[in-house]
């Protein structure tokens, strides 16, 4: 399924408002994902790439959490800065350092110069 930024934002807001249902481990139940899918369908009538089902929503949450955790690690790494808009902001001057980092953390690659606008919302959801 293809997700737009607005669909992702709506999905995350739904999870945030239902955060208590996930417990301490942030493991949302299928019913939460079913509710999120229904909410997205009500708001976004012309979804691209297929309907957002409960399983699609669960996979999206898994992927968004993985991106969130990748960014947490980038932020913890000495010498890197972070911007939710511009990512790690790696310039040519620091390219070698980034390439070494990405070799050990391949999930970080997309965030060299691209931010993650959902970071703050996910940060509110995570324990």
């Amino acid at each position: 399924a293809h997700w737009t930024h607005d669909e992702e934002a709506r999905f995350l807001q739904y999870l945030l408002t239902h955060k208590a249902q996930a417990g301490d481990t942030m493991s949302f139940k299928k019913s939460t994902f079913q509710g999120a899918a229904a909410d997205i369908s009500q708001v976004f009538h012309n979804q691209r790439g297929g309907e957002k089902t409960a399983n699609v929503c669960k996979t999206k949450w898994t992927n968004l959490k993985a991106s969130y955790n990748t960014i947490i690690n980038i932020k913890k790494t000495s010498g890197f800065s972070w911007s939710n808009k511009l990512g790690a902001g790696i310039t040519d001057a620091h390219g070698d350092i980034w390439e070494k980092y990405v070799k050990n953390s391949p999930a970080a690659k997309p965030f060299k110069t691209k931010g993650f606008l959902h970071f703050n919302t996910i940060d509110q959801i995570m324990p």
Side-chain angles (χ1 to χ4, degrees):
H2 173 81
W3 290 74
T4 66
H5 173 78
D6 290 342
E7 289 169 340
E8 288 176 341
R10 179 74 184 206
F11 172 60
L12 290 171
Q13 283 302 315
Y14 185 92
L15 294 182
L16 182 59
T17 60
H18 294 82
K19 177 180 176 177
Q21 296 174 1
D24 293 339
T25 60
M26 285 301 105
S27 298
F28 289 101
K29 295 183 172 124
K30 186 173 184 173
S31 60
T32 305
F33 292 119
Q34 288 169 330
D39 181 65
I40 291 167
S41 290
Q42 288 177 351
V43 176
F44 301 98
H45 303 287
N46 299 317
Q47 298 175 36
R48 287 182 49 208
E51 185 180 352
K52 311 305 188 281
T53 64
N55 286 338
V56 170
C57 288
K58 182 178 181 179
T59 299
K60 177 51 95 171
W61 174 236
T62 300
N63 293 340
L64 288 169
K65 278 193 311 184
S67 293
Y68 171 85
N69 288 322
T70 296
I71 290 160
I72 291 289
N73 290 333
I74 291 170
K75 290 173 104 174
K76 288 180 181 176
T77 302
S78 177
F80 291 146
S81 61
W82 178 258
S83 158
N84 289 338
K85 187 175 179 184
L86 302 174
I90 302 298
T91 61
D92 290 341
H94 298 100
D96 290 347
I97 297 166
W98 179 254
E99 292 307 318
K100 288 177 187 172
Y101 180 77
V102 169
K103 196 170 197 172
N104 293 322
S105 303
K109 190 172 186 169
F111 302 109
K112 178 179 180 180
T113 57
K114 181 183 108 185
F116 187 62
L117 297 177
H118 299 304
F119 182 85
N120 291 338
T121 305
I122 297 172
D123 199 44
Q124 293 174 60
I125 298 170
M126 296 300 284

